[in-house]
Amino acid sequence: GAGVSQSPSNKVTEKGKDVELRCDPISGHTALYWYRQSLGQGLEFLIYFQGNSAPDKSGLPSDRFSAERTGGSVSTLTIQRTQQEDSAVYLCASSSVEGAIDTQYFGPGTRLTVL
Amino acid sequence: KQEVTQIPAALSVPEGENLVLNCSFTDSAIYNLQWFRQDPGKGLTSLLLIQSSQREQTSGRLNASLDKSSGRSTLYIAASQPGDSATYLCAVYNAGKSTFGDGTTLTVKP
């Protein structure tokens, strides 16, 4: 079966523009995560969706960031009025929580460059 | 707030050596701990997952241990190969969030 896919793989945008990043999780996975990895830094948690529960948005760095998950599957991360500090690799992961088992499977990421 | 530290930040070894990567975390109330590999320009690949009730997991040349009470995990790589060169990340998971360390960049020289 297919793994987690993300699109686009690369995105270059001008400061102030809005961007949308897409994540297609593994079919059947109920949990979906967004992370950000800035150059030379570790992974930063952004947002977490679990089934039909309200998402955990505690990691979103500002109100310019938002995410949706439609139909419990595809997710879109939207960044409004992009800033240069938003430049990073945005990684999506999905998992199937079964009891105490939770392995996250990561997509290849979207490299965002804000000029 | 959970903090995860990985030591060393970088490691260079000759091919064939056994090596240990370290991960420590400040809050022992974790659900599980996961080790990942990240190759340049690529996403993350899961290597081993240790549940909170387990002490270790093994996969091939890799062995990961977990001491939850002391907030430590180690990743042991036996007989290292140049193909093992990558950044190794550990992540602890609790309450729907994974907190990642900054990683250890491993270089295995032929």
Side-chain angles (χ1 to χ4, degrees), chain B residues 19-74:
Chain B
L19 59 101
V20 175
L21 307 181
N22 297 291
C23 172
S24 61
F25 46 95
T26 55
D27 185 350
S28 62
I30 63 171
Y31 204 51
N32 59 45
L33 182 146
Q34 197 165 355
W35 281 93
F36 295 87
R37 169 184 174 141
Q38 186 174 33
D39 293 281
K42 298 187 178 180
L44 279 72
T45 301
S46 178
L47 297 174
L48 290 164
L49 171 73
I50 310 177
Q51 299 175 50
S52 61
S53 60
Q54 296 177 323
R55 299 281 295 183
E56 66 177 336
Q57 283 287 324
T58 298
S59 175
R61 295 182 293 108
L62 304 180
N63 176 277
S65 69
L66 174 63
D67 184 342
K68 204 170 73 159
S69 61
S70 66
R72 294 173 189 246
S73 175
T74 61

Side-chain angles (χ1 to χ4, degrees), chain A residues 33-92:
Chain A
Y33 311 80
W34 282 99
Y35 298 90
R36 175 170 75 173
Q37 187 171 33
S38 302
L39 184 63
Q41 298 187 23
L43 277 153
E44 175 187 6
F45 166 81
L46 298 177
I47 189 169
Y48 161 60
F49 295 90
Q50 173 57 54
N52 296 320
S53 302
D56 178 352
K57 304 179 181 180
S58 60
L60 295 178
S62 78
D63 58 8
R64 295 186 295 105
F65 287 72
S66 63
E68 291 185 345
R69 189 178 185 191
T70 55
S73 180
V74 172
S75 177
T76 303
L77 177 69
T78 301
I79 309 173
Q80 296 178 311
R81 305 181 302 282
T82 52
Q83 303 294 313
Q84 289 183 332
E85 61 262 29
D86 298 335
S87 296
V89 175
Y90 289 82
L91 290 163
C92 172

